[in-house]
Amino acid sequence: MKSIWYVSMFFLSSIVLSQEKIALKTVPFHTENSSIYIEQVFDTRKEKNLGLGTNKFGEKVIFQLHPNAPRAILSFMKTSFSHAKDAKPIYIKVENLEIQQSQSSINHITTRVYIDLVFYEKENDKLKELHAVRHYEEEIFSMSDGSKIFETYEKRIRAALEYCTLSFMNHYKKRNKPESISRGIQTSVEDVFYEKSKSKHAERLGKWFNMLTYKKIYSKHKEGWKISYIGFADSDKNFIMPFVISYDRYSIKRSSLLNKNYTSVDAFSIGGGFDGYLKIVPGLYANISLEVPLGLEIAKKTEGKKQHNFLIGISSRQGIKIIPWKDYGIVIGAGVFQQIQTSKVYTRNFGFELELGVNF
């Protein structure tokens, strides 16, 4: 058994650590400027790879630019900038360049390329910063089209590099116009586009969670249980709206029935509302929900007579959910709920819930 364990661990490690190169196509883009050229590219990232993604075989791999980021980006830039006699050399520092991929809904995958570039010129043998820009390129795929993701990585990297370079050139063009000319020039659509987008850097894509949970409900008038599948994309800032499929069973306590002279109650309802999470710290979420059910209640009196009642109400829940480990493990939840409805048996109810499940 021990030897099998070692072989398995080695196999898993080889999958995680396998690398794949992405070669940028040297496709030129229109620069409209022959007064500058790209002299050198510096890569100051701590991690020189592009991050984790899926290759054409659907395997998780670590991507790198071929042969490396500085040379790949410089070769790409040279196709769009002619080295004219009096052209000014420009230097580029890569502060961030990465691929991210995550399931973003029950049937979609989102992929992004993030990039942070800083453009410099030399002044007295020192680099002087001219322009800094951050940007991302994003594309969303259906789960059934997951095999197409790999083909678009290279295209999105080029699009991000092109955007940042044109943003710099737009800034450089305005910076080097004589002041007398600049005052009389109206702001163009291109200027507005690059000014508004120069700090475009979305929140990092969150991991997709799959959970199966069992919830036990205790309250003043009823008790029961609920089994749920919950899927959601993690987020540090945004309110999380999960995808939920559940099945539940409830029964009204006998004491509540007898107090109102009923022997049984059947209720059928549908409802709308929302159920969401707010991330407090990694692994800890606040759960908030609100629901407005509509339905029909059929209550049987002790003397055998049945009463039909239109059912409408509002219920809210507040609780916490603990997910200690991102990849797999247990899920623990607890909360309280309040309910108001037009029931013949009870109009107000409150109680608490305990939840236990698995994250996979």
Side-chain angles (χ1 to χ4, degrees), residues 24 38 41 65 68-78 92 94 97 115 117 161:
L24 293 182
I38 307 303
V41 177
L65 281 180
N68 55 54
R71 289 176 61 184
I73 294 173
L74 185 60
S75 297
F76 171 70
M77 293 295 182
K78 282 183 175 180
I92 298 176
V94 182
L97 176 58
I115 189 166
L117 295 184
L161 288 168

Side-chain angles (χ1 to χ4, degrees), residues 1-10:
M1 287 296 292
K2 188 175 291 186
S3 60
I4 294 174
W5 183 83
Y6 282 127
V7 170
S8 300
M9 289 300 293
F10 175 79

